[in-house]
Amino acid sequence: HMIPTHLIPLHQIPLTPNGKINKNALPAPSGDVDADRADRTAPRTALEEVLVEAWADVLGVGEVGVHDDFFELGGDSLTATRIIGRLRQVFEGGDVTLRTLFTTSTVAAMAAALTAGETVPGRLERIAQLHLEVARLSPDEVEAELARQRDSEGGARR
């Protein structure tokens, strides 16, 4: 995260009257800063979408592609811990580990590793789908759905 994304050669560094670097006088990088990531691939599965949302939120970046590298996006061990904590909440623990994130480092590779390690095939994908469905509901809609389910369970017990 400390490696600059753009290098601009200068003949002379602009200085303020006090001899300090005049950051406002430095030239802006040409083109869009995200131009290097223009080939960003959108999530293809619900699992990848949940991973992308967690990475984007915790890393504070606008968009994350499934082939973007965690460390190139500014990730470090602290942000990795936060991401893993969030994913463990979504996936009820599971085999979401720091090791998985550090050894895979892209959403696509992490999703593939998590899927390959499943004891019940399709479990994480289904949980991800449910998570995304609930995330799109308003709090009132969630309450109404929970009430509906309580009512139907109560009727089944009678």
Side-chain angles (χ1 to χ4, degrees), residues 71-95:
F71 300 103
E72 290 177 8
L73 293 173
D76 57 28
S77 59
L78 293 176
T79 53
T81 302
R82 290 177 50 210
I83 288 171
I84 295 302
R86 178 171 296 184
L87 295 175
R88 283 182 178 164
Q89 286 179 333
V90 171
F91 297 116
E92 303 167 357
D95 290 330

Side-chain angles (χ1 to χ4, degrees), residues 32-34 36-43 48-49 51-70 72-74 107:
D32 185 11
V33 176
D34 282 338
D36 296 338
R37 295 178 52 226
D39 61 344
R40 191 173 308 116
T41 304
E48 286 182 349
E49 190 171 342
L51 295 175
V52 161
E53 286 177 1
W55 286 29
D57 187 43
V58 172
L59 292 169
V61 295
E63 292 183 30
V64 174
V66 297
H67 300 297
D68 291 342
D69 186 88
F70 173 75
E72 290 177 8
L73 293 173
V107 167

Side-chain angles (χ1 to χ4, degrees), residues 12-26:
Q12 183 177 347
I13 296 178
L15 302 175
T16 64
N18 294 334
K20 296 180 180 180
I21 295 176
N22 185 349
K23 295 177 184 174
N24 294 330
L26 290 171

